[in-house]
Amino acid sequence: MAVPGLLAFASMPSLYPSDSKSPSSSKPSTSRHTALPCSSTALVSPTNDTISSPEEPNPSGDNDNAKNTTTQKFNYSRASPSLRWPHLRLSVSETCPSTQTQFTVASPPQTQVGKSDTFSVETPHSEAKEKTQKQDCTELEHLDVNDDTQEALGRRSKTRVKKMNKLALKRAKDWRERVKYLTDRILALKSEEFVADVLDDRKVQMTPTDFCFVVKWVGQTSWQRALEVYEWLNLRHWYSPNPRMLATILSVLGKANQEALAVEIFTRAEQAVGNTVQVYNAMMGVYARSGRFNNVQELLDLMRERGCEPDLVSFNTLINARVKSRSMVPDLAIQLLNEVRRARIKPDVITYNTLISACSRESNLEEAVKIYNDMEAHNCQPDLWTYNAMISVYGRSGLSEKAELLFKELKSKGFFPDAVTYNSLLYTFAKERNAEKVKDICEEMVKVGFGKDEMTYNTIINMYMKQGQHDRALQLYRDMKLSGRNPDAVTYTVLIDSLGKANKIAEAADVMSEMLDAGVKPTLHTYSALICGYAKAGKRVEAEETFNCMLRSGIKADCLAYSVMLDVFLRFNEITKAMTLYREMVREGFTPDNTNYEVLLRVLVREEKSEFIEGVVRDMEELSGMNPQVISSVLVKGECYDHAARTLRIAIGNGYELDRENLLSIMSSYSSSARYSEACELLEFLREHAPDSNQLITEALIIILCKAQKLDAALEEYSNKGKLGSLSRSYTMYESLIQECKQNELFDIASQVFSDMRLNGVEPSESLYQTMAFVYCRMGFPETAHQLLYHAEMKGIELSEVSAYIDIIEAYGQLKLWQKAESLVGSLRKRNSAVDRRVWNALIHAYAFSGCYERARAIFNTMMRDGPSPTVDSINGLLQALIVDDRLNELYVVVQELQDTGFKISKSSILLMLEAFARAGNLFEVQKVYNGMKAAGYFPTMHLYRIMIGLLCKARRVRDVEAMLSEMEAAGFKPDLGIWNSILKLYLSIEDFRKMAIVYQKIQEAGLKPDDETYNTLIIMYCRDRRPEEGLSLMHEMRKVGLEPKLDTYKSLITAFGKQPSFEQAEELFEELRSNGYKLDRSFYHLMMKIYRNTGDHQKAENLLGIMKDAGIEPTVATMHLLMVSYGSSGQPQEAENVLKNLRMTGLVLDTLPYSSVIDAYLGNGDFKAGIEKLMEMKEVGIEPDHRIWTCFIRAASLSQSTNDAIYVLNAIQGVGFDLPIRLLREKSDSLVLEVDRCLERLEPLEDNAAFNFVNALVDLLWAFELRATASWVFQLAIKRSIYHHDVFRVAEKDWRADFRKLSAGSALVGLTLWLDHMQDASLQGYPESPKSVVLITGTAEYNMVSLNSTLKVCLWEMGSPFFPCKTRSGVLVAKAHSLRMWLKDSPFCLDLELKDSSRLPELNSMQLLEGCFIRRGLVPAFKEISEKMGVVSPKKFSRLALLPDEKRGKVIQADIEGRKEKLEKAKKTVDPKRLMKMKKLKRRRYIREAMLYRRDAVGLQKNAIGMSAE
């Protein structure tokens, strides 16, 4: 039971903290008398249950006090006076009837305690006492005081003996000296001495009020000594407790943060003493200091219950407690002011200042302004404190101008700024890191007489630390100590906190050491800052030692310290220590936040501590008061997914309403851990059991589907449910859909979702505006993106990133709208003078897309002049502008200029130039740049190799390609499929099918999967190699892997089957294309017409015309031309003429093409007269003959049997105005060269290879009628005009070869003779050196029914040349270089290779067309005989037989045949075993080789050359 007027303690040490030196702990109780700090009648309860220790207030509170109205018993061994003052020799009977002293609750009588000298006895203790008194007297004697002063100090005057009465003592004005005297003596006591040693002497007279001041003044230095004085007074019978003394000791204990002791003293005070406003205010002040608003409110209510009306101080204390307990809510200050006014008390300036100071601490400007306005409205004049608080709140809110204005206002109203004012203003500008302004304020402070105090230094040090100027802050800290200012706890805390955050933990530890050396006690914030620094640096041991040191120093950890240490233990996997600390944290009343719980749970899950997890979940529910929804969210973030789902299901099952934020948090955590299936299951459960939250669940489902990259399902859910108006309010849902559409490049859908979002009133964020700007730019709508950003700016959304503007500028550039890009950059420049470098680069590239080099260069120069400096991207933009403008020749000039100005050309710039030259086909420049790049130390990349090899393949530089491929593999790069495809096309173009087979094998060995380009190239290779069956098989294999051939591949197959001939297969492929719905162009129908023409099936050709019309393709004149050619080649010129008549009846405007078909048909059939008639008919209808007609007549003349026929035919075209051919036959004038050159110049630009066909026909004519020299200069003129390729034949260093494909027979013979002549000269001179083998490419095609391959073989074999058909490629003749050189030197056929004109025209044509072979007329009989009787023979044998006379040739042929028969019969009879074994091995080897070549996946198989007769 609580006893008024008494204060009891269970034991003496419980009154003091462990680190303080309590009076009773220094000496044993029997050693000397002790002034016990206890209440006036210090009783101790017989049991410990009824009394609470100071650290733990009695939980019964005021209810127990109210119940007790009688007595309270205490049991305390030193409560007896005989024990407390043994030198008085008091007996037990005089003090108490028993050893357990009992006192009643009533106030004891005022008993005067006698003077100490009355009871003097000779004891060791009394001797010490007397000695002390003598020392004190000696001290007083040394003081220069008068008699009045000595009497006031309690000593008798030497001149008079007089004791002051109570009234005189109260009126005495020297009370300060008396209070100071006692205060100094008490504070001068050593730790083992007691207050009673001073007070019992009673050297001075004191009033109760004086003692109150003694307690107050002593308490300012040592609350323990103040409490000892208070207890000594309560033990005196002459002292009556009073409210002022009680309020004073409560105030002292409150300031010392000894709330438990204050509560104990207040609880046990007499009701008559404690039931005053002064005491209640003091106790409320104790609670208010620690922000215990509820306790203050209860105490205020208790005052009213006991009839004690609160005053203004009470309400001010209540307000102070409220603002300290929790943050200010809107209008709270006005509510508190109204509560004061309802009590009929007018708020004073302290009330307002308290509220404004609270707003300042929270930077709550709005509430502070409201309070200040209310203060002025109620005529309460602000004081300096008010202005200081307002300046502070303006400064904390970042309104430095308002703070400075208020500073000037207070001076204008007569207030003098103090140090707090200047420091508040200093803090304002320090927060803005305005060092110049801070410096000015400091100078003004010093100028007006205020030195830099600790707060000033702390503010500036904090500013420097936040600016990262740690060295400057430490220097200021050293200057502070040198200037005589002692750094306080705030100084050290700021330094330690900032250094720890800057990862300078060693320096932070040094500062802590200096703090301890300086005697400054670290605060909770100091320790917390150092612990955080150690935690950030990963120093667990040091953090733990600091934390334990803090606890040993008597400072209790707060929530931050516990949280940091808990995080440190968990980070280092110290599970046991973490759980111990966690339990201690909970026991001390601190609740971990959600982040701590998440980290703790995550570690427990990793360590599989399921039993701990259950306990933590219970703590979250019971201690933290979390509802199941919040618990489930924390569990999910802690990766306790099963617990989280179970908790949420329980919550929904118990009727909890589904919370939007918690559900989205759970879904986000599921998404981050990729547990999408479990998230979907949970959502389906919620959809069934929480139908009211269907909208939220659907939104969450769409979000989780987007996170799972299941965009189709998300869009389906959005389309099914998103049409409801209530569904369209989730920003996260729209953002997830838009972002996922962006990732999948579904920009149109993203645009639609964004439109729905804006339609439903959901405002986009800054990031979403940037995303949509990117989407619109990718869609090709930069204007829309630009308008969108303008709309965002109008709404006050300032984009922190310029990436969206860069996207718009680039999109404008790609659309070649550089004017709009330029305008956008101009607006950005007006808004901010410092334009981002990326913006300038984007504008340069926008100019580059349009080839505006000069404008791009102007921007480049601006960057160099004004900044920011150009980068590699800027240089690349300049080069790109030149490339787009097709000014490649200026690239080197610009590069040189940039290098001269100090720029280094990067690898990307070199690659850009190389790609530009590669696209232009400039192989020389590409190789130059490539070699320069390697010389500069830039290693080629895969992309570079791909460009180089692609270009070299297009240029057919086989050796360079192979060398580049070897270099690439040596550098560690493996060719990809694109490179192999380029090489396949290269070998296809030169018809090196064997190497194509090797390349295909490498593709398979590398594990690359052939694509459609690979298959198409290989099929075309088979077609060109006259193996369309294998190409068709490969096409079927291609389809099996899901690839479809190109139409060109089909065309190649049809052409190959048409040439084989396999007309049925070609027709089947054509019908397959039609049946599969392919849209065929006119070329396919023309191709089939050619096939039908070759087969002579003109009916199908005519039927094809109807098919073309049904397919929507109208036949053209070219189509009818093919039909007429078909009739003409089959010897039916009349049918061709009928087709021409039908064409004329259709009313089409005809040119020379159909007439040339009919004329060529008649001339080819030998009906020159009909052909000439058609020429005249064409002339009559107004169609002027052109190159087609001239070519037809010249070709007919070259194939005519006699010279007269040739002249007859050529006279026909002479009659219509073209006499050049007839003049070439008859005249020998140099002027004809110029005329031929002018004629070729006119024909060059015409289509249908007009010049090429004309030259072929003209050279055939000249060769046939033995005008070989004329044919030679016409041939060379064609090369000069690039009508023929410039390297149609070549005799270079190790490169002797010729390619006569597409040339006519006569042109090929001219070229062959010239080539042989050049090689003969090289053989005789020894330069240029020949390769090992010399290749002559003839091709396998026929030109105007003439086989070039057969013609050249007959010519060469007649001469006995060493050329043989290539075994691996058809249409190629190969000769060994040595044999060729010997033949050129020794053969009689090579004695004179000069081409000469015959002196006169022969009567007959010197050439004859025989079975597609343009052969010399005199060789025809020998050719027929040899071919018919012997078949294929060697060139030497053919030459030898052809030179023999007819009679002798027959005998030699017969003898050769019989000799071979005899040899065969002899071989059958006698077989050499060794030879037989050798033949078997050869046969087996041949079988294996053929088996390998004929594998199903083999490509590149070549057929051996066939005989001329077979061709």
Side-chain angles (χ1 to χ4, degrees), residues 152 164 167-176 178 210:
M164 298 177 64
L167 182 60
L169 189 62
K170 287 182 179 181
R171 291 179 177 178
K173 297 181 179 179
D174 58 350
W175 64 270
R176 286 187 177 84
R178 297 195 305 269
D210 295 340

Side-chain angles (χ1 to χ4, degrees), residues 542-556:
E542 291 81 354
E544 187 177 1
E545 290 177 354
T546 305
F547 182 77
N548 294 334
C549 180
M550 179 184 71
L551 297 180
R552 288 194 301 270
S553 67
I555 298 176
K556 291 186 177 181

Side-chain angles (χ1 to χ4, degrees), residues 16-31:
Y16 305 96
S18 59
D19 60 341
S20 63
K21 296 180 180 179
S22 62
S24 64
S25 63
S26 61
K27 296 286 184 180
S29 60
T30 58
S31 62

